[in-house]
Amino acid sequence: MTQAKTSVIILAAGMGKRMHSSIPKVMHTLAGRPMISHVLETVSQAGYSDIVLVVGKEMEKNHELFLPYQTVHQRERLGTGHAVKIALEAMGEMPENILILYGDTPLISASHLNHLVRIIEDGADSALLAFKEDKSNSYGRVFVKDSHVDKIIEASDASSEELKNNLCNSGIMAVSGKIIINAVNQIKDNNSKKEFYLTDIVSIINQDGGKTSFVECSKDECVGINNKSDLAKAEAIIQEKYRENFMQKGVTLLDPKSVFFSFDTILGQDVEIGPFTIFGPGVSVGSNVKIKGFCHLEHAVVSNNAVIGPYARLRPGTNIDEDVRIGNFVEIKNSQIRSGAKVNHLAYVGDTNLGKQSNIGAGTITANYDGFNKSKTNIGERVSIGSNSVLVAPVNIGDDSVTGAGTIVRKDIPDNSVSITEGAQKTSIGAAEKYKAQKKLKTKKDNEDL
Ligand code: UD1
Ligand code: MG
């Protein structure tokens, strides 16, 4: 099998200075997960499993993300050429093909990776992915002679004339295992940044009598992320792809541009999503579900025929069963909302099991945290919780029970019971006229005193 003869090197040790962040560059997220995870998934989709990642010391705490692959620590970041060199040293026996990817170029497709490898298998010494970008940019420029790559000149070392060349280097390349060590060992740091540029390998291969082919692909696929503006650009590209994909599968997006998905969002059939809705990671939505505008969902399951929002927030651990209604300004966290239940207005439901067909009145809060511990609220089936109730957890409310408006539930309520908090409500019959006159007089006097 082709893939067994191919080893992959992913460069991910760069400081990412241009991000102006304490987070290592490749750990910045795109569609809800670190950009390096997108690269790893694409490599694995392409069928490669022999992978070496070059990482910096800041990434040590993220090592689980890279399992089961091998990581090599680049202590001194001396450039992309140096990073490849230390990866090769760690690899031992050379495979037939080496595929090199940059961790900051996460939108590349598996098919283009395979294409590069095929070119090497067909006898080329190396092959790279190039793309056209007409706007001013800092990508290395790819110079072609006799339909092969002659050289790459980094933007920081290029003359204004050279910068007019709009064929750019994606950084992704495949190199024959027969020549790579010899070529990489010849890379020097005689450039404006005093770094060992991997891109110099092209001229070196030429000098040694070899050839570098290139494949042109779309600039969207090759976007390299060096700063927050690039990150936003990549996010826009990936979101556009997800939106299109979902719409092609029958999802209705009322305003596609304002809906954001995560890499793992699952949506069933006949789902309708209103504007300004954000899907964080871990959301799965069943069929015939309406998510009205301005909702935020994260690590939540929404089952068939539910209606969510507008303005609802489903936090991690939320399970919404079939035919549930979650209305405006409702927050649900770590709770099971059983089929047919309704939480329609202004409520917080946390660490709760809400039984089938139960209704939570407007303004109700589950007081699940006493400053030290989180506690559970269990509400049975067909329960009616009156508006503005406070359910002080841990507490259990039995099936078919009712709480009055404003009830503070501190003790368990058995099945089929009515519970109200009696406050002393005093009513003076016929006193309204006198009360209003007194109020008017007082306001007049207050104004005169000013
Ligand atoms: C690089 C290319 C440029 C190309 C562009 C595409 C070089 C010299 N230049 O420029 O031709 O157009 O990518 O996006 O390769 N890294 C290490 N160790 C290092 C330096 C970098 O692991 O010592 C990693 C970074 O984490 C990053 C990748 O290599 O993932 C590329 O490095 P970066 O500094 O972003 O290179 P660019 O300036 O973008
Ligand atoms: Mg870069």
Side-chain angles (χ1 to χ4, degrees), residues 65-136:
L65 209 66
F66 310 128
L67 293 174
Y69 307 120
Q70 187 185 354
T71 47
V72 176
H73 290 261
Q74 190 187 20
R75 312 239 167 256
E76 270 189 295
R77 272 160 286 213
L78 302 177
T80 48
H82 175 255
V84 169
K85 189 173 177 201
I86 63 167
L88 292 170
E89 282 163 7
M91 275 165 53
E93 206 181 319
M94 265 316 99
E96 286 176 30
N97 323 304
I98 306 276
L99 183 60
I100 301 165
L101 286 95
Y102 289 179
D104 68 351
T105 306
L107 303 185
I108 209 74
S109 70
S111 60
H112 274 127
L113 299 183
N114 287 332
H115 191 167
L116 289 184
V117 171
R118 271 201 309 276
I119 294 174
I120 303 299
E121 301 206 310
D122 289 346
D125 300 294
S126 72
L128 57 84
L129 281 182
F131 62 101
K132 291 218 169 99
E133 173 56 277
D134 293 316
K135 289 188 197 143
S136 144

Side-chain angles (χ1 to χ4, degrees), residues 271-274 277 279 285 289-293 295 297 302 308:
V271 170
E272 184 182 303
I273 299 166
T277 290
F279 292 86
V285 175
V289 169
K290 258 198 173 74
I291 299 177
K292 298 182 178 179
C295 288
L297 301 86
V302 180
I308 312 291

Side-chain angles (χ1 to χ4, degrees), residues 11 13-14 18 25 74 79-80 102-104 139-140 154 169 197 226:
L11 305 189
R18 291 164 278 183
K25 177 160 72 172
Q74 190 187 20
T80 48
Y102 289 179
D104 68 351
Y139 293 112
E154 287 306 301
N169 173 32
Y197 292 160
N226 290 328

